[in-house]
Amino acid sequence: QVQLVESGGGLVQAGGSLRLSCAASGRTFSTTGMGWFRQAPGKEREFVGRIRWSPYTTYYADSVKGRFTISRDNAKNTVYLQMNSLKPEDTADYYCAANTAIMGIQWDYWGQGTQVTVSS
């Protein structure tokens, strides 16, 4: 089992920045990467971006490309989502998920989410 705990959400004005954290514990050696997703009220969950450990690669949804950055701190078993130039449409609950597939993607573990509200 892998446990994921997100933090760092809050209220920010449009144009501002937030950094979300996803702390992993448990069988983290079984993971091959991490992803970030978000779900706005009344909408379906949306992919935001992902990071793969090896090779070390990142990939982002077009809606956040150039504004959001995913990074990892190995020593802390933590993945970050740096969000810059935030827009009101970025308002959502943000979730991290752990990928356990060696080839491809399989989001087997999820965090509880952290809320981000961007005011105009």
Side-chain angles (χ1 to χ4, degrees):
Q1 292 286 333
V2 176
Q3 294 77 41
L4 303 174
V5 178
E6 301 97 334
S7 61
L11 173 65
V12 64
Q13 287 188 331
S17 299
L18 276 178
R19 188 179 77 162
L20 306 183
S21 300
C22 175
S25 61
R27 297 172 61 90
T28 57
F29 58 84
S30 67
T31 65
T32 56
M34 205 76 76
W36 284 96
F37 297 79
R38 65 187 182 186
Q39 187 166 20
K43 295 188 177 182
E44 292 188 354
R45 187 171 59 198
E46 175 189 20
F47 169 78
V48 173
R50 66 175 186 261
I51 184 169
R52 194 167 185 90
W53 308 149
S54 181
Y56 190 85
T57 55
T58 55
Y59 178 80
Y60 302 93
D62 287 343
S63 58
V64 306
K65 198 174 296 181
R67 300 188 297 123
F68 290 12
T69 303
I70 299 175
S71 62
R72 179 193 187 191
D73 185 329
N74 290 341
K76 297 181 179 180
N77 273 334
T78 299
V79 170
Y80 302 100
L81 178 66
Q82 177 66 43
M83 305 185 295
N84 299 327
S85 302
L86 282 162
K87 305 175 182 180
E89 51 264 43
D90 293 319
T91 295
D93 290 328
Y94 283 72
Y95 301 87
C96 62
N99 180 20
T100 60
I102 297 175
M103 299 289 289
I105 296 173
Q106 185 169 320
W107 305 114
D108 276 340
Y109 303 100
W110 293 82
Q112 83 291 346
T114 186
Q115 188 174 57
V116 172
T117 303
V118 184
S119 63
S120 56

